Amino acid sequence: MKLRTVILISIWAVVTGALIVGYVVVNVRMKSHVEAQTTRDLRTHRSTLGALNDLQLDQLGKTSQLFAETPRLKAVTELADSSTLSHLMLELQNTIRGDFLAVTNAQGRQLFCMVGGTPSRLPASFDAVRPGKSPGEVRVGVKSLGHDAYRVASAPITVGPDIVGALFLGFRITPDNLNSLREMIESDLLLLVDGRPGISTLTGKNLEDVGRWFTGSGPGIRTGPDTADLPTIPAEGEEFMSIILPLDPGTPPDDQRTELAILKATRREVQAAIAPVRESFILLAALVLLVTIIVGYVVARSVTRPINDLVRGTAEISRGNYDYSMGIPRGVELKFLATKFGEMSHTLKEKISQLGERNRELESALRKLREMQEELVRSERLAATGKMTAQLSHEINNPVHNILSSLQTALKKTPAESPARELLEVAQDEVERLARLTKQLLNVYKDSVTGPDPGVPLAVNDVLREVIGAASEMLRKHQVEPELRLGDPVPDIRGSADKLKQLFLNLIVNARDAMPEGGRLLITTARSDGSVVIEVTDSGVGIPPEYLGRIFDAFFTTKGKVSGAGIGLSVCYGIVQQHKGRISVKSEPGKGTTFTVGLPALNSRQKE
């Protein structure tokens, strides 16, 4: 045997032995490290889930207090009207989709109770969350009912200073809840009800083995945040480390405890951590055997690699990757050629970037030109329509008033019991409606064609508050919930308060008509680039895209039932133009519409 072969075999044996010893040591240390890391992760998960549970209980308490303060619930509870209370509770159930809902009177007697959508008795285990004797004292907790656990909150129902009853509200902890938490912390969960296993994210034999372990261990498994070691639970083909989170720390020791076991598989984690080490060991052992081949390969690679890098670089540049850098080391003859290729790529990238910037500038200019053209066409169309309709309205107005006067005279002379009186009243209503229509047409001409009113400095926020105050009763009747988000501070504008009120009221009425079943109306103000921007957003039916270009035209309406002349938005457009502002609309059918009004803001010199 040649000496070179003996040396190679000796080196291979020594290195292989060292690798095996190192692999065993790393295996042991890796397992210890994984267990320590798992312990830290479990404690972190325990803190996270504990904080999340406290947050959910706090939110549930606020929700129960909010519903307990509703006037209808106070009145029905004070009267102890079971029938009305049941109807009211079913409405509340349809709103919040709770799993537990109950109401008691001031003496604690049950007036209503429903568990899982079924009438029931108030569980005795829920007595611990009965509200206190003080108004506003809300109690929360996690209580068990059979094999299920519920997050429960109770709030006193008060009328003045007196407590007339209590509202109980609860949600069952479901498997979907546990699966969501599992995705968040990447650990399995098991719900324990008085030490008995409940729902879990584990399945199959693992669930049986872990559940059997908890059933047999009893109260000895309690683990607090300062516990040094966490228990290891054996299961089929796996081991789990566990930590316990009490979901209701305030539960007395003698009562049923509801807890959450957080489980993390350690054997799988150890195998996943050791797998790269095992692969490295196999790779290093193979490298020792093939060291001579590698040396020859390295020599050949030192010649062919720069050429391959150059070819790869040209291919990347041809595909448009102008930032590609050729990794050819210094001292190689092809380095100069690679440098020139890089300079060419950089120059080409700059030229393409300049061309793209020019294209974007052209697109922006074309878009602005198109918008200005559309604005001009709309203004001319509005002016022409306004002049024509004003002339027609003026000609129609005189005979309409004569007819209306004649009808009023005929009504005075017609007895109340006469059959003709009903026909005269119908005719009078229709003629009055025609008179209102002609007045609206004259307003279109006046607001859209005549010169702008110089106006006075105004605070847009104050105008909006007045309009919402005046329209609140109308919105309430149509079940529309208004919300004002007024920017502070917002600069003043110059304009006519009456015309701005008409502008905003028209937009609000338009939003109301778009929400026949009720909805949400959001009005915001903000400052943007020297303007005051007002947005009116509804959650209504929206406007089809093909109608967006025509909604500011006079006599155009998208409403299925005609409730006006179709000139409300045309009037809005004219008022905005008088104030040298702009108005635009964005809408998506089925989701709602947003009208955006921009009015020039006043600076300090203009205010003077």
Side-chain angles (χ1 to χ4, degrees):
M1 183 180 295
K2 294 182 180 182
L3 179 61
R4 183 178 58 185
T5 305
V6 173
I7 295 175
L8 289 176
I9 293 176
S10 300
I11 294 175
W12 181 85
V14 172
V15 173
T16 303
L19 288 174
I20 293 175
V21 174
Y23 176 74
V24 173
V25 173
V26 170
N27 195 349
V28 174
R29 292 180 63 85
M30 189 66 69
K31 182 177 181 181
S32 176
H33 173 75
V34 169
E35 290 179 349
Q37 182 62 42
T38 301
T39 300
R40 290 192 294 270
D41 291 344
L42 287 174
R43 296 188 191 281
T44 301
H45 297 340
R46 185 182 190 274
S47 300
T48 301
L49 296 184
L52 181 60
N53 182 62
D54 293 341
L55 181 62
Q56 291 174 331
L57 290 175
D58 181 65
Q59 185 66 35
L60 183 59
K62 293 179 180 178
T63 302
S64 64
Q65 186 178 24
L66 177 64
F67 283 109
E69 293 175 355
T70 57
R72 290 181 61 192
L73 181 59
K74 290 183 179 183
V76 174
T77 304
E78 185 179 19
L79 296 175
D81 187 349
S82 300
S83 176
T84 306
L85 180 61
S86 298
H87 180 71
L88 180 60
M89 288 297 100
L90 289 176
E91 291 181 0
L92 179 59
Q93 168 67 15
N94 293 331
T95 302
I96 64 175
R97 301 295 182 184
D99 299 301
F100 172 74
L101 193 61
V103 176
T104 62
N105 61 13
Q107 291 74 35
R109 184 173 63 85
Q110 173 181 319
L111 299 178
F112 177 85
C113 181
M114 185 167 60
V115 179
T118 304
S120 178
R121 299 294 300 172
L122 184 66
S125 59
F126 289 7
D127 287 342
V129 294
R130 288 184 180 272
K133 301 298 184 180
S134 302
E137 183 179 352
V138 179
R139 292 185 179 178
V140 296
V142 179
K143 300 302 176 183
S144 61
L145 181 58
H147 294 286
D148 295 326
Y150 291 79
R151 289 189 179 91
V152 184
S154 67
I157 303 173
T158 60
V159 176
D162 301 325
I163 298 177
V164 300
L167 171 66
F168 293 80
L169 179 62
F171 291 87
R172 184 171 67 90
I173 300 177
T174 65
D176 290 340
N177 300 145
L178 297 190
N179 288 328
S180 298
L181 296 176
R182 182 185 185 280
E183 293 179 0
M184 181 178 69
I185 64 175
E186 297 182 350
S187 298
D188 287 296
L189 301 168
L190 174 62
L191 188 66
L192 300 173
V193 180
D194 196 24
R196 300 188 308 274
I199 59 176
S200 174
T201 60
L202 295 172
T203 57
K205 195 67 168 58
N206 284 337
L207 178 58
E208 295 179 8
D209 293 342
V210 173
R212 189 180 303 111
W213 188 90
F214 276 104
T215 302
S217 298
I221 63 173
R222 305 288 179 250
T223 54
D226 300 325
T227 306
D229 297 322
L230 300 181
T232 300
I233 305 172
E236 184 181 23
E238 188 54 270
E239 290 182 350
F240 294 92
M241 293 185 70
S242 172
I243 192 169
I244 300 298
L245 169 65
L247 295 180
D248 192 2
T251 302
D254 296 335
D255 289 354
Q256 288 187 339
R257 296 174 60 88
T258 304
E259 302 166 313
L260 190 64
I262 309 172
L263 305 161
K264 198 169 185 66
T266 57
R267 184 175 299 174
R268 184 170 62 246
E269 295 287 337
V270 171
Q271 291 176 352
I274 294 177
V277 178
R278 186 186 304 112
E279 294 174 358
S280 300
F281 169 76
I282 296 173
L283 178 61
L284 289 176
L287 288 176
V288 171
L289 294 175
L290 300 176
V291 62
T292 54
I293 300 175
I294 293 175
V295 171
Y297 173 77
V298 170
V299 173
R301 186 177 177 83
S302 64
V303 177
T304 59
R305 183 174 181 178
I307 298 176
N308 292 335
D309 287 342
L310 186 60
V311 173
R312 189 181 303 111
T314 56
E316 289 292 332
I317 293 174
S318 65
R319 285 197 293 266
N321 185 8
Y322 303 110
D323 294 324
Y324 183 81
S325 177
M326 301 181 190
I328 299 178
R330 293 183 178 275
V332 179
E333 290 76 1
L334 294 177
K335 178 63 177 178
F336 177 76
L337 182 59
T339 302
K340 292 301 180 181
F341 263 107
E343 294 176 357
M344 180 191 69
S345 174
H346 180 70
T347 303
L348 185 59
K349 179 183 178 181
E350 290 181 349
K351 296 298 183 182
I352 293 177
S353 177
Q354 294 175 2
L355 182 60
E357 184 66 25
R358 294 291 178 84
N359 287 338
R360 285 190 292 271
E361 292 176 358
L362 288 176
E363 290 176 357
S364 177
L366 182 61
R367 183 173 59 255
K368 291 180 180 179
L369 180 61
R370 187 181 297 112
E371 291 175 355
M372 293 174 62
Q373 183 179 8
E374 292 175 354
E375 188 75 13
L376 180 61
V377 170
R378 186 182 295 115
S379 298
E380 292 177 350
R381 186 167 54 201
L382 180 63
T385 304
K387 291 179 179 178
M388 180 186 69
T389 53
Q391 292 172 359
L392 290 176
S393 300
H394 181 73
E395 295 299 329
I396 294 173
N397 202 31
N398 291 332
V400 164
H401 281 291
N402 292 335
I403 295 172
L404 182 60
S405 177
S406 300
L407 288 173
Q408 291 173 348
T409 303
L411 279 173
K412 292 179 181 180
K413 296 180 178 181
T414 303
E417 64 277 4
S418 174
R421 185 175 183 85
E422 182 178 357
L423 296 177
L424 291 174
E425 289 176 347
V426 171
Q428 181 184 10
D429 291 341
E430 292 301 315
V431 172
E432 288 178 347
R433 189 169 73 88
L434 183 57
R436 289 194 298 271
L437 178 59
T438 57
K439 182 178 180 180
Q440 289 178 343
L441 295 176
L442 289 172
N443 287 336
V444 171
Y445 173 73
K446 179 182 68 176
D447 294 337
S448 303
V449 179
T450 59
D453 185 354
V456 295
L458 294 173
V460 174
N461 288 351
D462 294 341
V463 176
L464 283 171
R465 291 190 185 98
E466 292 182 19
V467 172
I468 284 297
S472 59
E473 181 64 20
M474 172 193 68
L475 296 176
R476 185 188 64 80
K477 289 182 179 180
H478 289 80
Q479 299 181 350
V480 175
E481 180 182 354
E483 179 182 356
L484 285 177
R485 294 182 186 174
L486 305 180
D488 187 19
V490 172
D492 291 348
I493 66 167
R494 182 176 295 278
S496 167
D498 292 336
K499 290 184 179 181
L500 290 179
K501 289 179 182 179
Q502 181 183 6
L503 164 66
F504 298 138
L505 184 60
N506 282 356
L507 294 178
I508 291 172
V509 171
N510 195 67
R512 178 207 66 186
D513 294 340
M515 298 181 287
E517 303 298 330
R520 180 170 174 265
L521 175 63
L522 174 62
I523 302 177
T524 64
T525 60
R527 181 173 187 169
S528 176
D529 297 331
S531 298
V532 177
V533 179
I534 305 99
E535 290 190 349
V536 180
T537 303
D538 63 66
S539 59
V541 297
I543 303 173
E546 61 270 19
Y547 294 157
L548 289 177
R550 302 179 56 196
I551 60 171
F552 293 112
D553 293 348
F555 311 111
F556 179 79
T557 178
T558 61
K559 301 172 185 177
K561 181 179 179 181
V562 177
S563 59
I567 60 174
L569 292 179
S570 179
V571 171
C572 292
Y573 181 83
I575 293 174
V576 172
Q577 290 296 307
Q578 284 186 346
H579 287 78
K580 298 181 181 180
R582 64 186 186 279
I583 183 170
S584 60
V585 60
K586 292 188 297 183
S587 182
E588 187 172 350
K591 294 188 177 180
T593 303
T594 297
F595 283 90
T596 303
V597 177
L599 300 174
L602 290 179
N603 54 37
S604 57
R605 179 177 299 177
Q606 290 173 320
K607 289 182 180 180
E608 297 174 358

